[in-house]
Amino acid sequence: MREEEEEPTIVVAVDNNTTTTTTTTTKEEEEEVLLASPPHGLLERLKDYGQEDAFALWDELSIHQRQSLVNDIQSLDLSRIDRIIRCSLRSQGVPVAAIEPVPLSSVSTVEERTMDERERWWKMGLKAIADGKLAVLLLSGGQGTRLGSSDPKGCFNIGLPSGKSLFQIQAERILCVQKLAAQAASEGSNGSFSIHWYIMTSPFTDEATRRYFECHKYFGLEADQVTFFQQGTLPCVSKDGRFIMETPFVVAKAPDGNGGVYSALKYSRLLEDMAMRGIKYVDCYGVDNALVRVADPTFLGYFIDKGVASAAKVVRKAYPQEKVGVFVRRGKGGPLTVVEYSELDPSLASAINQQTGRLQYCWSNVCLHMFTLDFLNQVANGLEKDSVYHLAEKNIPSIHGYEMGLKLEQFVFDAFPYAPSTALFEVLREEEFAPVKNANGSNFDTPDSARLLVLRLHTRWVVAAGGFLTHSVPLYATGVEVSPLCSYSGENLEAICRGRTFHAPCEISF
């Protein structure tokens, strides 16, 4: 033992002129005594919930590993987790109400939407934004693993001429809407209106996301108008509900799904933060859509006009077997909700509406939602009370190698059954839905396919504004990119484009 680590001694004088040396214990030795066996209170709590096997390998652990295990278990809300596990396992196989197609009265279709309605909703939305009533909520907990990147998905560059990431594109769309709202409110004034941006990360993406925004100076937004918060995690469990151990001293955990946003908002007290800011409406979307119209004034105006608690943008299903969830009505006169493609009977998936000649179940969910703040509060409390999570059977890393287990997840569309009223708003796939989910070389939803959707849409905008294009490769494989700082949805481009020729591929900016 080195000199500085020698045990301290205390010399005690006594009357008979002798001395006694008493040796005190070190902190490490105290811990060794305390952790000779699992803490009694914690072990009893685990036994109450049938999870005492978490301490099964205690005797094989070092002191530091034992302390890590104790800290890990103590960080878990055991009563809440037990309720979630029990309710979720019990819900499996429980009959659910039959589904019906969404009533036509609940959908605003593109073909039936009039120009007057569009203009009215656009103005209503801009006014609400100018009044500070809208917040934007981004679901960004995922990593770009399937894209071949360990970075947060929002950092991904899909190969546009500008080289902008998904985060930057979305930030600049917010900047553009703020400017449009200021102009509409002040007759061309350059007044400033701020849209608060709440960004949900996960334990795997939080630090990298914050650092990315700081390095890029929040892409022109004010730092104090962006709030980051983390979604939760839940233990992975076996089919009988017992914790799976990733290592002998760490419980295997996984993010609680994008529907974890509701409990995360509640426990982060951000619903209260929104109320303090005077926010009434929340635009919620997923990060992996290169064409998302963040804070869309038309959608917001439609939502306000309908006076509903929740709304969703939808696109028509491309073909019966397309792997997308669709909106349905659950039960006779029941609420609208989403059924995953794997849960929809093939005969229903291909059923035709005899009046329209189209699929009966045709309204695809693309994770573009609008909620009132009051409804978000209701959902956060309702989902927590019911505690029913989807069980996803996955290969879980464990002390036995990879083993089949269950991840507990909620989805953002789990909110809809709680809504007293929901309205759907059809948008065109080629204008608002360019998903980025799979690596290039896959059959669909790749960075290349998303990039081409963006370039083709923006090329149509430029041509409609009187511009011309030259190109050295076939036009179907290229196009121009319009900076979100120039135009939100194709408006105000005449002054930039009329009579000008652009060589594709290029970015059109100020």
Side-chain angles (χ1 to χ4, degrees):
M1 183 179 288
R2 293 190 306 247
E3 184 176 347
E4 63 269 25
E5 291 180 340
E6 289 181 355
E7 297 175 355
T9 60
I10 299 175
V11 178
V12 182
V14 293
D15 290 342
N16 60 3
N17 297 320
T18 64
T19 60
T20 301
T21 302
T22 303
T23 302
T24 64
T25 57
T26 64
K27 182 179 179 183
E28 288 78 6
E29 287 177 326
E30 290 175 356
E31 286 180 351
E32 190 168 353
V33 172
L34 289 172
L35 295 174
S37 58
H40 179 72
L42 191 57
L43 179 59
E44 290 304 308
R45 289 193 66 212
L46 285 174
K47 286 180 178 178
D48 288 342
Y49 301 118
Q51 302 292 357
E52 64 273 16
D53 285 352
F55 283 141
L57 298 177
W58 181 267
D59 292 340
E60 300 176 17
L61 303 180
S62 69
I63 294 300
H64 293 304
Q65 290 172 337
R66 290 176 182 181
Q67 188 62 61
S68 294
L69 177 57
V70 169
N71 293 343
D72 194 32
I73 299 295
Q74 287 178 334
S75 71
L76 302 176
D77 185 340
L78 291 174
S79 62
R80 175 177 181 262
I81 290 168
D82 179 67
R83 184 175 69 250
I84 289 171
I85 293 171
R86 285 187 295 103
C87 291
S88 302
L89 288 173
R90 195 165 56 227
S91 71
Q92 297 304 294
V94 174
V96 294
I99 62 172
E100 299 178 350
V102 173
L104 292 176
S105 59
S106 297
V107 189
S108 169
T109 62
V110 172
E111 59 194 15
E112 293 176 350
R113 205 171 296 150
T114 67
M115 187 58 69
D116 286 345
E117 284 178 323
R118 295 181 190 193
E119 290 180 0
R120 180 164 57 88
W121 291 336
W122 174 265
K123 291 176 181 177
M124 287 177 67
L126 287 179
K127 184 178 187 309
I129 291 168
D131 290 342
K133 294 180 179 179
L134 179 71
V136 170
L137 175 58
L138 169 59
L139 309 177
S140 183
Q143 294 170 288
T145 309
R146 282 194 287 172
L147 299 169
S149 169
S150 60
D151 292 331
K153 270 189 183 179
C155 301
F156 200 80
N157 166 12
I158 64 171
L160 290 169
S162 66
K164 292 175 182 175
S165 66
L166 294 170
F167 279 142
Q168 181 170 356
I169 292 168
Q170 292 160 21
E172 290 183 355
R173 286 187 180 138
I174 291 175
L175 286 167
C176 185
V177 172
Q178 289 178 171
K179 184 176 72 172
L180 291 169
Q183 291 171 344
S186 309
E187 295 296 323
S189 162
N190 288 323
S192 175
F193 295 89
S194 175
I195 298 172
H196 204 86
W197 198 9
Y198 295 88
I199 300 177
M200 184 179 78
T201 64
S202 72
F204 310 104
T205 64
D206 186 73
E207 183 181 350
T209 300
R210 292 172 187 263
R211 190 167 58 246
Y212 189 76
F213 271 75
E214 289 168 2
C215 288
H216 291 84
K217 296 182 169 39
Y218 295 84
F219 307 104
L221 296 168
E222 297 296 328
D224 61 3
Q225 76 179 98
V226 182
T227 297
F228 300 97
F229 66 103
Q230 288 190 50
Q231 71 183 103
T233 61
L234 286 170
C236 302
V237 298
S238 60
K239 291 184 179 180
D240 61 358
R242 293 182 180 273
F243 293 166
I244 292 174
M245 301 301 294
E246 183 173 348
T247 73
F249 51 92
V250 175
V251 177
K253 305 177 196 70
D256 55 5
N258 60 15
V261 65
Y262 304 114
S263 59
L265 285 171
K266 177 181 178 179
Y267 290 116
S268 301
R269 305 183 73 90
L270 291 178
L271 296 173
E272 297 172 23
D273 181 75
M274 291 178 183
M276 288 176 57
R277 295 177 188 274
I279 290 163
K280 302 291 185 186
Y281 315 110
V282 179
D283 178 27
C284 175
Y285 71 99
V287 71
D288 53 1
N289 179 0
L291 282 176
V292 59
R293 293 188 181 177
V294 187
D296 182 357
T298 304
F299 185 37
L300 175 57
Y302 166 76
F303 179 67
I304 295 170
D305 194 34
K306 291 299 177 185
V308 291
S310 64
K313 287 184 175 181
V314 291
V315 300
R316 286 189 188 273
K317 203 172 180 182
Y319 52 91
Q321 288 74 39
E322 186 180 13
K323 294 183 177 181
V324 291
V326 293
F327 276 90
V328 302
R329 185 158 69 177
R330 179 69 73 181
K332 193 71 176 177
L336 299 192
T337 186
V338 174
V339 171
E340 287 285 63
Y341 68 88
S342 57
E343 300 171 4
L344 189 63
D345 187 273
S347 63
L348 293 179
S350 56
I352 300 296
N353 183 320
Q354 298 304 318
Q355 288 181 315
T356 63
R358 292 171 171 158
L359 293 173
Q360 282 189 338
Y361 296 93
C362 64
W363 301 119
S364 300
N365 170 46
V366 289
C367 198
L368 301 170
H369 307 316
M370 192 78 70
F371 304 118
T372 64
L373 181 56
D374 289 342
F375 177 60
L376 283 182
N377 275 291
Q378 177 190 337
V379 168
N381 293 326
L383 284 173
E384 185 67 22
K385 176 176 176 288
D386 294 342
S387 296
V388 175
Y389 282 61
H390 303 269
L391 300 175
E393 195 168 349
K394 302 282 186 179
N395 267 320
I396 310 293
S398 78
I399 54 177
H400 307 297
Y402 279 87
E403 64 176 278
M404 290 306 293
L406 301 173
K407 290 184 178 181
L408 296 146
E409 300 175 317
Q410 285 184 326
F411 301 137
V412 68
F413 58 71
D414 289 337
F416 290 104
Y418 293 86
S421 52
T422 298
L424 304 184
F425 187 82
E426 183 193 7
V427 296
L428 296 178
R429 186 183 295 249
E430 61 268 23
E431 292 185 355
E432 298 199 37
F433 188 48
V436 185
K437 296 183 181 296
N438 304 309
N440 286 328
S442 302
N443 293 328
F444 53 87
D445 297 348
T446 65
D448 282 349
S449 64
R451 182 183 72 254
L452 286 176
L453 284 167
V454 173
L455 295 179
R456 288 168 185 168
L457 174 64
H458 291 190
T459 295
R460 293 196 294 273
W461 290 355
V462 169
V463 172
F468 301 93
L469 262 69
T470 60
H471 46 94
S472 51
V473 297
L475 190 55
Y476 67 79
T478 188
V480 294
E481 174 191 0
V482 175
S483 167
L485 298 174
C486 290
S487 181
Y488 182 78
S489 56
E491 77 290 335
N492 301 330
L493 286 175
E494 288 80 4
I496 302 172
C497 298
R498 185 168 300 282
R500 292 185 61 191
T501 299
F502 303 92
H503 185 73
C506 69
E507 181 197 21
I508 298 174
S509 59
F510 286 115

